[in-house]
Amino acid sequence: MGFKLGRASTWVCLEVGLTLILNIDGSSPSVGALSQALKRLHSSRKFQQLGQAPKATTERVGGQAHEDVAKVDLHPRGMMINGLEACFFEELGLHYIGPVDGHNMEELVHTMKVAEAIPGQGPVLIHVVTKKGKGYPPAEAALDKMHGVVKFKHYSGNQLKPKSSTLSYTQCFSESLIAEAERDDKIVAIHAAMEGGTGFNLFHKRFRDRFFDLEIAERDVVTFAAGLVTKGLKPFCTIYSSFLQGVYYQLVHDMDLPKLPVRFAIDRAGLVGADGLNHCNAFDTTLMANLPNMVVMAPSCEGELMNMVATAATIDDRPSCFRYPRGNGIGSIIPPFNKGIPLEVGKGRVLEEGTRVAILGYGTIVQSSVAAARLLQRFGISATVADARFCKPLDGELIRQLARNHEVLLSVEEGSVGGFGSHVTHFLAMNGLLDGNLEWRAMMLPDIYIDHGTQREQLEQAGLRSKHIDSTILILIGENKDVI
């Protein structure tokens, strides 16, 4: 994308004066060819001498000229450096300035003004070098942590997270994938610079030669995984739900259209609390379930997540994905040796039998559905709770059974409009199940970006807690919702 931007910006900037900023985090290990090329360029003796030459000259002159040169290095173009005829970025049509100390505000501001004042040079690229966690040793040392934190001890950096007796969904996924990989040497793991966050650090320790980090290049992850499939491997790609939004073209053309069985583990799906608006992880079900060949799953608990990892490992004729939330599980039974049991594709299950109301949940919000049903029992309202497991393909037999045997049918999901509820609505309509007396409603996240807060606060704002489920049902059957 950066190379495309460089090409396009040479045209755009002639009119609007575009300035690009390349931020290199000097503390992180780099695996990309571009990063390695820049490192070789900057460490060369000729390059260093070239950068010091203007300063040595102006130092003798003194005055404003020396101050300007000391603040910003304008690397000359068209000179031989390590056999290259010109700076890499100059060849892309970008006027290169840098590297600049990203922690020196005075130098940064001055560099911006210099870039703005360059006449008729086309697009300008400012190369800024920073260090993650600059000035706080625990943050500097933690390469993949402390980007956003909860309360922590300032002298050690240790986060004060409440201890949980249950495993996180991320850890359950990783342990389950390791169990599958121990039995199938074709399984490989791919991620985009999120080894620790996705739990792949555990897989990496166990299978170093079956692990691929493509840095911050999620689109490359999809195409790379599709290529591995054609060579007989079984790639599992882990990606945060929010980052999935940027790879849709590759999902369609490189994976779904040719029906290549890439497996996607979608982490941090749904409401994630303190990560803020830009991590609105509401759209993955809608995006994936609209692809014709995709199998789309969501577990109701950590044990079901392990079963879905096992299920994805067996799907060899089309792509598949499963979403799971941030945080810890509910303490459900974990399969022996973390080895899940493959599910029948497109089949849900009934968790609690009732007679009057049916709640069809998708994903971990099934637990709120169970709580809602038990509260309804206190008011003499009998409710069935079903775990859909699959958004695509839907369990048509289960949906027919729920629609025909209950007065009220409610679907519940922690996803956007156009997701699970929309697919159930379409199924009901196309099969004539809305033509009778059935009271049908779909509950999902509201059509807004939910602001920063705890997961509980966000669920409250979204109207997706168990009390909201009960209120919706009571309104449909003509009862007083205020009793909840």
Side-chain angles (χ1 to χ4, degrees):
M1 182 177 179
F3 295 155
K4 293 179 182 178
L5 181 60
R7 180 179 181 274
S9 63
T10 58
W11 295 94
V12 174
C13 185
L14 293 176
E15 299 296 332
V16 300
L18 182 66
T19 299
L20 312 175
I21 296 179
L22 170 66
N23 181 203
I24 301 294
D25 180 1
S27 64
S28 300
S30 301
V31 300
L34 174 58
S35 178
Q36 295 299 326
L38 288 174
K39 186 183 296 183
R40 289 194 300 271
L41 179 64
H42 295 152
S43 62
S44 72
R45 183 179 179 184
K46 290 181 179 179
F47 188 87
Q48 298 298 332
Q49 291 173 340
L50 181 65
Q52 293 300 320
K55 296 179 183 178
T57 301
T58 57
E59 186 174 14
R60 292 191 293 270
V61 177
Q64 186 64 39
H66 178 62
E67 291 182 17
D68 290 345
V69 171
K71 286 179 178 178
V72 57
D73 230 349
L74 300 180
H75 293 151
R77 269 69 62 187
M79 300 187 68
M80 293 292 291
I81 301 174
N82 284 350
L84 298 175
E85 292 185 357
C87 174
F88 174 83
F89 295 105
E90 299 290 338
E91 293 297 315
L92 294 177
L94 302 171
H95 184 92
Y96 176 86
I97 300 177
V100 181
D101 181 1
H103 301 290
N104 186 326
M105 187 59 66
E106 182 182 359
E107 183 178 354
L108 277 174
V109 171
H110 181 83
T111 303
M112 299 288 186
K113 290 180 178 179
V114 169
E116 187 178 25
I118 294 176
Q121 291 292 337
V124 178
L125 184 140
I126 303 174
H127 178 187
V128 178
V129 179
T130 59
K131 183 177 181 62
K132 175 192 164 294
K134 175 72 172 178
Y136 183 54
E140 291 183 7
L143 297 182
D144 63 342
K145 299 182 185 301
M146 300 191 77
H147 295 284
V149 296
V150 295
K151 294 179 181 179
F152 64 94
K153 296 180 179 179
H154 71 277
Y155 54 85
S156 66
N158 293 333
Q159 295 188 14
L160 300 175
K161 291 183 178 180
K163 292 184 178 180
S164 175
S165 59
T166 62
L167 297 176
S168 70
Y169 281 96
T170 298
Q171 184 177 351
C172 288
F173 158 71
S174 184
E175 298 284 5
S176 181
L177 185 60
I178 290 172
E180 295 296 329
E182 287 174 341
R183 294 163 176 80
D184 188 343
D185 61 5
K186 299 294 186 183
I187 289 178
V188 297
I190 311 173
H191 74 101
M194 295 299 294
E195 179 177 338
T198 61
F200 266 174
N201 53 329
L202 303 176
F203 189 98
H204 191 189
K205 291 178 182 178
R206 180 68 179 82
F207 303 104
R208 301 193 68 86
D209 60 341
R210 293 157 64 182
F211 174 86
F212 302 94
D213 179 0
L214 299 191
E215 285 294 309
I216 307 176
E218 286 82 5
R219 288 181 290 185
D220 294 347
V221 166
V222 178
T223 304
F224 179 65
L228 294 185
V229 168
T230 66
K231 297 302 180 181
L233 297 177
K234 292 184 175 182
F236 275 78
C237 305
T238 304
I239 185 171
Y240 283 7
S241 173
S242 54
F243 301 149
L244 188 71
Q245 299 157 23
V247 303
Y248 206 60
Y249 182 91
Q250 284 72 22
L251 288 173
V252 174
H253 293 280
D254 295 343
M255 187 179 68
D256 194 69
L257 185 60
K259 297 183 69 173
L260 296 176
V262 177
R263 292 92 177 162
F264 263 89
I266 306 172
D267 200 344
R268 306 304 201 270
L271 299 174
V272 294
D275 285 349
L277 289 174
N278 62 322
H279 283 272
C280 181
N281 300 339
F283 311 117
D284 53 273
T285 300
T286 300
L287 293 173
M288 300 301 259
N290 281 303
L291 298 178
N293 297 317
M294 182 72 67
V295 175
V296 183
M297 304 174 270
S300 57
C301 62
E302 58 269 48
E304 279 286 284
L305 173 57
M306 290 185 166
N307 290 337
M308 289 182 182
V309 174
T311 304
T314 65
I315 298 176
D316 289 324
D317 60 344
R318 49 191 156 161
S320 59
C321 68
F322 47 92
R323 75 187 318 244
Y324 49 97
R326 180 182 190 175
N328 290 71
I330 62 171
S332 64
I333 298 175
I334 300 297
F337 308 107
N338 299 317
K339 175 66 176 72
I341 301 172
L343 305 172
E344 182 179 353
V345 174
K347 286 295 180 183
R349 58 174 180 163
V350 174
L351 300 178
E352 295 192 2
E353 291 276 7
T355 57
R356 190 175 181 186
V357 173
I359 307 173
L360 178 61
Y362 178 68
T364 54
I365 205 164
V366 166
Q367 305 306 326
S368 298
S369 302
V370 171
R374 291 175 180 171
L375 183 57
L376 288 174
Q377 288 178 350
R378 293 168 49 186
F379 300 99
I381 301 171
S382 177
T384 294
V385 179
D387 176 7
R389 284 178 166 164
F390 295 85
C391 177
K392 191 168 190 176
L394 287 171
D395 187 344
E397 181 180 350
L398 174 61
I399 295 173
R400 286 190 183 92
Q401 173 188 334
L402 297 175
R404 289 169 177 166
N405 297 334
H406 299 82
E407 297 176 28
V408 173
L409 174 58
L410 192 72
S411 74
V412 190
E413 65 178 309
E414 198 174 308
S416 68
V417 176
F420 175 71
S422 297
H423 284 261
V424 175
T425 300
H426 182 262
F427 179 87
L428 292 169
M430 294 302 292
N431 287 273
L433 296 170
L434 298 178
D435 298 343
N437 297 320
L438 177 69
E439 295 283 358
W440 155 249
R441 293 293 185 275
M443 297 184 68
M444 72 285 292
L445 292 174
D447 196 22
I448 61 173
Y449 292 99
I450 296 181
D451 210 346
H452 179 105
T454 66
Q455 288 175 298
R456 182 183 179 89
E457 290 169 343
Q458 289 181 325
L459 282 170
E460 182 74 31
Q461 182 181 350
L464 282 179
R465 294 181 60 196
S466 56
K467 66 177 183 180
H468 299 114
I469 297 173
D470 283 337
S471 295
T472 301
I473 291 172
L474 290 174
I475 291 172
L476 289 173
I477 63 177
E479 298 286 349
N480 182 8
K481 69 180 180 64
D482 295 331
V483 300
I484 299 298

